[in-house]
Amino acid sequence: MLNDAVLLLYLLNFLFIALLPAIFFRHDGSLNVMWWLTAAPFFFCAAFLIAAYVGLFPAAVDHNTRVGDVLELASVVLSTASIALIALTLGTHRIPIALWHQDNDTPEHIVTYGAYRYIRHPFYAAFLLTLFGAFLFAPHPVTLITFVYGLIALNLTAAKEEVKLSTSKFGTDYVVHQESTGRFWPKFWRIPQ
């Protein structure tokens, strides 16, 4: 049986992610097919957690064991880190940014401070923390698939964005930024000054 409080934490984490297009990103485009395909693992993962909670899917790990406790604790840490990273990233931006997968998502500026000082895509990193934490919370092929699918989709999205940025008017600055930061994880061996 899934822990009520941890499930609530994850549902709030997924809700926070789902609300970002409405509360933060620019509204000069539409949610096209690619946006929905990239967002799909978040909807499926949240729905699966609810279905597992009500008993539609058997638990792969007994949460009343030491292993279950460790996985649950790790999942809480990851969800909390995701929420904190989203909040930090929101606080970094002075103006809303383009919503990914839109024709008009060409950047108007680059950000290399705040969370971006260490990673180039902190929103995506936070999203991946959520999906991986959900897998630890409810280890099941479905949550594993949502994590792997999300990792692939966000990696492809990030790569496309990085091509746009490196060929934009900010290209030279962005290439320098790429060399000192990781895509989703910090480059601890090359932390920028």
Side-chain angles (χ1 to χ4, degrees):
M1 182 78 174
L2 297 179
N3 180 303
D4 295 354
V6 180
L7 176 66
L8 179 61
L9 175 66
Y10 270 93
L11 293 179
L12 290 172
N13 196 168
F14 282 117
L15 180 63
F16 194 19
I17 292 168
L19 289 175
L20 285 173
I23 63 172
F24 175 68
F25 291 97
R26 288 193 332 240
H27 297 279
D28 52 358
S30 63
L31 304 181
N32 60 28
V33 172
M34 285 307 298
W35 186 91
W36 286 105
L37 288 173
T38 304
F42 303 95
F43 294 113
F44 284 121
C45 192
F48 175 81
L49 291 179
I50 293 168
Y53 179 77
V54 298
L56 296 178
F57 295 95
V61 171
D62 183 359
H63 283 274
N64 295 319
T65 64
R66 176 169 251 137
V67 170
D69 289 344
V70 168
L71 290 175
E72 195 170 271
L73 177 61
S75 74
V76 168
V77 169
L78 291 174
S79 182
T80 305
S82 169
I83 292 167
L85 184 54
I86 292 169
L88 173 65
T89 306
L90 284 172
T92 299
H93 288 277
R94 294 187 179 102
I95 60 171
I97 58 176
L99 191 60
W100 28 275
H101 294 308
Q102 295 183 2
D103 294 334
N104 61 346
D105 65 358
T106 302
E108 296 176 3
H109 63 285
I110 62 168
V111 180
T112 58
Y113 50 87
Y116 294 89
R117 180 174 180 208
Y118 303 100
I119 51 179
R120 297 188 303 274
H121 301 278
F123 278 124
Y124 300 165
F127 301 165
L128 291 172
L129 288 173
T130 303
L131 289 174
F132 186 66
F135 168 65
L136 295 181
F137 175 54
H140 190 276
V142 171
T143 53
L144 178 60
I145 289 167
T146 60
F147 170 67
V148 171
Y149 180 95
L151 180 62
I152 292 167
L154 291 173
N155 199 43
L156 292 172
T157 301
K160 180 182 170 191
E161 289 177 5
E162 289 175 356
V163 167
K164 276 189 178 182
L165 280 163
S166 43
T167 59
S168 73
K169 62 184 176 183
F170 313 107
T172 304
D173 293 335
Y174 191 72
V175 169
V176 169
H177 182 61
Q178 277 183 302
E179 292 170 358
S180 62
T181 57
R183 182 174 279 171
F184 300 132
W185 328 114
K187 286 185 180 179
F188 292 109
W189 57 95
R190 288 188 69 175
I191 294 182
Q193 298 301 320

